[in-house]
């Protein structure tokens, strides 16, 4: 027994060494595995030093939701200083807008917009159902970088403060004279039209209108209120209007459906839908959103930050 004891001790030490070696191999494998997991994990964008826009949605956009404010037969772009000279308009955004409104009035106005920094004024002809005025329950104004080539988007300029833009044709005599689009919310089976559409019960009537996004670089308005702006041609701004600005898209959703014969606009049939925009965004805020959302093609929220 005495001669066997040293060999038994050696065997025990060998078994212990083998077990320790296996454990070290296991620990080493675990360390490599967790390091690899850490290297492939999504970036923590909550960290202050994380790269901005790592998980950004690649859409050049920032929105403003501006609820209905008031109605007046005024139009400070087409009929400035002439109260009652226009058909009835529904106003959104700045709450002070009337026939006499100027840029300083808007800059100092309360607003119905989210974000509240947007004190611009937006207005459209009032919609009537069986001669009763109906206002949108959802009114969103999207600022977009689309409809032009990517290199044009990359050099988009901020919309200048005080710029006035009119889109659509209040005097249209038929659908061919119109750029308006009507559709139904949650009823994609109903084809869009330039005139009112018959939306199923439980859905809402929608209006879409795109404003021109090419500016002549000089004038904040023009005698016909349109010629200082232009739509892109072949995905670029024409030489006469070389400055690309964000495209304004007006989306209105009305809580009505059914027979289109019961609807009219203050300006006439659905194809006379038009929109007016008087820009009063703070200069620095508009510039920041163009720089952070439009040019890099990033989808931003109401705060102008990437979603």
């Amino acid at each position: 027994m005495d001669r066997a004891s040293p060999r038994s001790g050696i065997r025990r030490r060998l078994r212990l060494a083998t077990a320790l070696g296996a454990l070290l191999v296991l620990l080493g494998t675990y360390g490599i595995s967790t390091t690899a997991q850490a290297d492939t994990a999504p970036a923590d964008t909550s960290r202050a030093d994380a790269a901005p826009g790592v998980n950004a949605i690649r859409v050049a956009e920032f929105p403003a939701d501006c609820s209905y404010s008031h109605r007046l037969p005024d139009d400070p772009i087409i009929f400035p200083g002439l109260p009652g000279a226009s058909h009835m308009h529904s106003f959104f955004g700045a709450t002070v807008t009337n026939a006499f409104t100027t840029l300083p009035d808007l800059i100092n106005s309360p607003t119905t917009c989210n974000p509240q920094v947007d004190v611009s004024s937006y207005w459209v002809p009032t919609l009537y159902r069986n001669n009763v005025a109906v206002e949108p329950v959802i009114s969103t104004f999207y600022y977009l970088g689309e409809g032009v080539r990517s290199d044009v988007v990359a050099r988009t300029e901020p919309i200048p403060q005080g710029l006035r833009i009119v889109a659509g044709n209040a005097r249209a005599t038929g659908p061919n004279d119109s750029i308006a689009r009507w559709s139904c919310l949650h009823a994609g089976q109903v084809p869009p039209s330039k005139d009112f559409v018959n939306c199923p019960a439980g859905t809402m009537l929608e209006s879409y209108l795109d404003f021109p996004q090419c500016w002549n670089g000089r004038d904040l308005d023009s005698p016909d209120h349109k010629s200082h702006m232009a739509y892109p041609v072949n995905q670029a701004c024409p030489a006469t209007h070389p400055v690309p600005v964000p495209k304004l898209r007006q989306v209105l959703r009305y809580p009505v459906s059914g027979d289109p014969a019961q609807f009219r606009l203050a300006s006439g049939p659905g194809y006379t839908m038009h929109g007016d925009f008087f820009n009063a965004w703070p200069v620095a805020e508009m510039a920041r959103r163009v720089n952070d959302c439009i040019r890099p093609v990033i989808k931003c929220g109401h705060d102008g930050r990437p979603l």
Side-chain angles (χ1 to χ4, degrees):
M1 291 294 294
D2 291 340
R3 288 192 298 269
S5 294
R7 286 195 293 269
S8 297
I10 291 170
R11 284 195 297 271
R12 282 196 300 271
R13 285 194 294 273
L14 287 172
R15 285 196 298 270
L16 180 59
T18 301
L20 286 172
L23 179 60
L24 289 172
V25 170
L26 180 61
L27 288 173
T29 302
Y30 175 76
I32 294 169
S33 174
T34 54
T35 301
Q37 290 173 9
D39 288 344
T40 58
D44 179 9
T45 55
S46 66
R47 288 171 38 231
D49 60 345
V54 169
N55 297 315
I57 301 171
R58 303 298 293 175
V59 176
E61 172 188 310
F62 64 90
D65 287 321
C66 305
S67 58
Y68 165 74
S69 172
H70 60 285
R71 275 192 303 272
L72 282 174
D74 292 358
D75 190 324
I77 293 179
I78 306 298
F79 299 109
L82 298 173
S86 177
H87 50 250
M88 189 63 71
H89 281 114
S90 298
F91 291 86
F92 309 83
T95 61
V96 301
T97 311
N98 59 34
F100 300 99
T101 295
T102 62
L103 179 59
D105 296 327
L106 297 181
I107 290 173
N108 294 295
S109 174
T111 182
T112 66
C113 291
N114 173 22
Q116 291 192 333
V117 294
D118 183 9
V119 290
S120 303
S121 187
Y122 311 83
W123 61 96
V124 299
T126 301
L127 175 71
Y128 292 87
R129 178 177 60 180
N130 297 323
N131 294 321
V132 177
V134 178
E135 300 301 344
V137 292
I138 302 172
S139 41
T140 304
F141 300 89
Y142 295 95
Y143 292 81
L144 306 167
E146 64 171 39
V148 291
R149 297 189 312 264
S150 58
D151 61 299
V152 180
V153 173
R155 58 182 179 84
T156 298
E157 293 295 324
I159 300 175
Q161 195 177 63
L163 185 69
R164 296 178 279 286
I165 315 177
V166 178
N169 186 357
R171 295 184 175 87
T173 58
N176 290 337
D177 298 330
S178 176
I179 63 166
R181 183 164 72 91
W182 295 91
S183 58
C184 304
L185 180 64
H186 303 316
Q189 72 274 17
V190 179
S193 172
K194 292 184 177 182
D195 206 345
F196 299 123
V197 291
N198 193 333
C199 295
T203 67
M204 288 195 288
L205 183 67
E206 297 180 309
S207 171
Y208 287 76
L209 190 66
D210 283 355
F211 285 65
Q213 68 199 90
C214 298
W215 178 44
N216 68 10
R218 300 184 309 273
D219 305 309
L220 298 179
D221 199 358
S222 50
D224 64 357
H225 311 293
K226 289 191 173 184
S227 61
H228 61 301
M229 300 296 298
Y231 286 93
V233 178
N234 296 325
Q235 294 192 306
C237 285
T240 54
H241 297 76
V243 182
V245 297
K247 175 200 285 186
L248 177 63
R249 174 169 294 158
Q250 168 186 293
V251 180
L252 308 176
R253 288 167 176 157
Y254 296 89
V256 294
S257 58
D259 184 3
Q262 63 187 322
F263 305 131
R264 69 174 177 88
L265 293 171
S267 53
Y271 50 74
T272 66
M273 185 56 158
H274 56 284
D276 297 69
F277 170 57
F278 196 151
N279 178 41
W281 280 84
V283 173
E285 187 64 20
M286 171 61 72
R288 181 182 71 81
R289 290 167 187 251
V290 168
N291 188 62
D292 293 354
C293 310
I294 303 299
R295 290 175 183 162
V297 190
I298 292 174
K299 184 180 179 69
C300 291
H302 296 87
D303 61 356
R305 306 294 180 186
L307 293 175

